[in-house]
């Protein structure tokens, strides 16, 4: 599938919105690729983001997987629209262990209001990638709604 | 529904496992209630856990919702078993705004291998609770598997 | 939760739409209750609707569970709107065995465009009900769109 | 991905089990392909399987999508095991209209107890295929459990 972005400045718009997600700084996630309908986010393993067995917590996997799907959708939206996750399902397929997680989101079905997107998350261990999670979810395009925080 | 825990020391076991989830310290979540098949986790709002609009990121909501469901299931497991989330679905129903999130997980259907559990997450704003998310997921009981981290 | 229907004639509208679902006649399902945000559908067991073990096929469970959620949402819609299922998740909790299935759908969160609804499906065996499936899904309100079939 | 079936007679086993699903005869679905970890099911459009707009009902889409995923998993199971769907999520991406539906299921992650599988459903209209639904679900391998109906 290849998509035509509605907004030629989609990459700058995605990067600016991602930069406003304070959680990404807190957990050390970075946006490593933006293309029309596709986004990649990377997260190095850290001891303070784990569940009880020393693997990255499913919530951390979910955080980057959801954002990768959300920004994959957002990359195709109109310049003045905002994005919201309505729901997603996450399958945890293997432990989130190793040096690094890579979340690759892509749009499955774009739409005026609803966009369906998928993310595959890979755990990189000793340099080799293994599929560790898969997300499929529904993203909502809020037309003519600023992506900036609501001012106080 | 009321459940009979297999392990009378279930509460101490849940609390010890939760204490090993380093992510919970990182995001400031606390375990506020443990009962047979039911767990409550609370998380105060923090500026460094947000998405682009200044609400708590869906990944943070997912982190406590998933753990509430997981420990609700774990509370009914055998003393020497471990727990794993296989999959969940999360609906985001309202913005995660306000002072505090409260995630209440409960077992819907216990099982020897698979347990189905649900979590409702409430956003507390100006003291009043509003349902902001709902999770339903599948938890796996790993028999005779230590809940402790695997040693190096 | 109690809901105020936008259309006072909601029950007649739900019943008329259900009557146009030819699949319901084919599988023998009937609409047994309509209230604001709530719908009940019943289906007697039949040997020609089974999976390989002689239980009702999950697809039959899904058919009535999805329609119960859809019509629960539809009951709250505007008089000239149509309904579409965008996605749902179905947990199969116990075999769909016995004399009868009862699917009870209810709205969890109504919305102008998206409504989230849940259905619990009970298997009635020797007169007693057992929860056999749970669905949670997203219904879309298509404004000013006839619920009638598109003419050729 | 390519899979090694545990049972060399997997195709005959899948076909025999499918033949015991009476619902498939009722709705006119046929099993058109069986490979290790992959199954295809086809269903011609019929006026008595529709929802209110004259498209095939989502429950019919779900019936063949779920069975395609289930038999994709079952094709990799041991010769004496049975299969059960634990849960699935179904996204409806386009109307199920046209002459024919084709459901293609494939295993995403095989496992001793839990297998994750996906199905893509295509609507064939005027000879061209369009993705109309996607399912992802959890299948359970019941070891040493006959796939035959339980006798009375």
């Amino acid at each position: 599938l290849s998509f035509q972005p509605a907004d030629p400045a989609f990459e700058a718009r995605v990067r600016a919105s991602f930069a406003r997600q304070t959680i990404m700084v807190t957990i050390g996630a970075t946006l490593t690729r933006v293309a029309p309908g596709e986004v990649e986010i990377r997260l190095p393993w850290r001891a303070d983001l784990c569940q009880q067995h020393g693997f990255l917590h499913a919530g951390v996997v979910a955080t980057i997987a959801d954002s990768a799907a959300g920004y994959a959708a957002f990359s195709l939206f109109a310049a003045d629209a905002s994005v919201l996750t309505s729901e997603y399902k996450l399958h945890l397929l293997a432990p989130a262990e190793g040096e690094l997680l890579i979340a690759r989101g892509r749009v499955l079905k774009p739409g005026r209001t609803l966009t369906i997107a998928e993310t595959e998350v890979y755990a990189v261990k000793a340099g080799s990638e293994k599929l560790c999670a898969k997300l499929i979810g529904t993203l909502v395009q809020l037309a003519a709604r600023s992506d900036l925080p609501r001012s106080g």
Side-chain angles (χ1 to χ4, degrees), chain A:
Chain A
L1 287 169
S2 100
F3 299 108
Q4 202 57 36
D7 170 19
F10 71 91
E11 180 166 354
R13 197 165 40 90
V14 168
R15 290 192 178 277
S17 179
F18 183 89
R20 286 193 296 273
Q21 295 205 327
T22 59
I23 181 79
M24 296 302 166
V25 176
T26 302
I27 63 174
T30 53
L31 182 60
T32 46
R33 183 169 174 262
V34 180
E38 289 183 37
V39 156
E40 187 186 281
I41 296 173
R42 293 184 176 227
L43 177 89
W45 184 90
R46 254 174 39 190
D48 63 345
L49 302 175
C50 290
Q51 37 84 286
Q52 72 275 24
H53 303 116
F55 306 131
L56 287 169
H57 193 280
V60 174
V61 176
T63 301
I64 63 168
D66 172 25
S67 277
Y71 285 122
F74 189 59
S75 72
L76 301 180
F77 286 3
D80 65 345
S82 187
V83 64
L84 217 103
T85 300
S86 172
E87 62 75 35
Y88 66 78
K89 187 195 194 192
L90 182 72
H91 280 275
L92 299 158
L93 304 169
E97 59 180 339
E99 306 92 71
L100 184 74
L101 291 185
I102 306 177
R104 297 191 178 103
R106 65 179 191 93
V107 167
L108 186 63
K109 170 100 185 353
R112 200 170 48 88
T113 305
L114 302 184
T115 290
I116 311 305
E118 291 186 321
T119 301
E120 294 189 335
V121 184
Y122 295 86
V124 184
K125 193 178 177 180
S128 96
E129 294 190 9
K130 183 178 182 180
L131 182 66
C132 76
K134 179 147 192 181
L135 174 149
I136 182 164
T138 305
L139 292 310
V140 182
Q141 179 168 202
L142 302 169
R145 186 86 61 93
S146 168
D147 189 61
L148 296 172
R150 301 191 293 194
S151 59

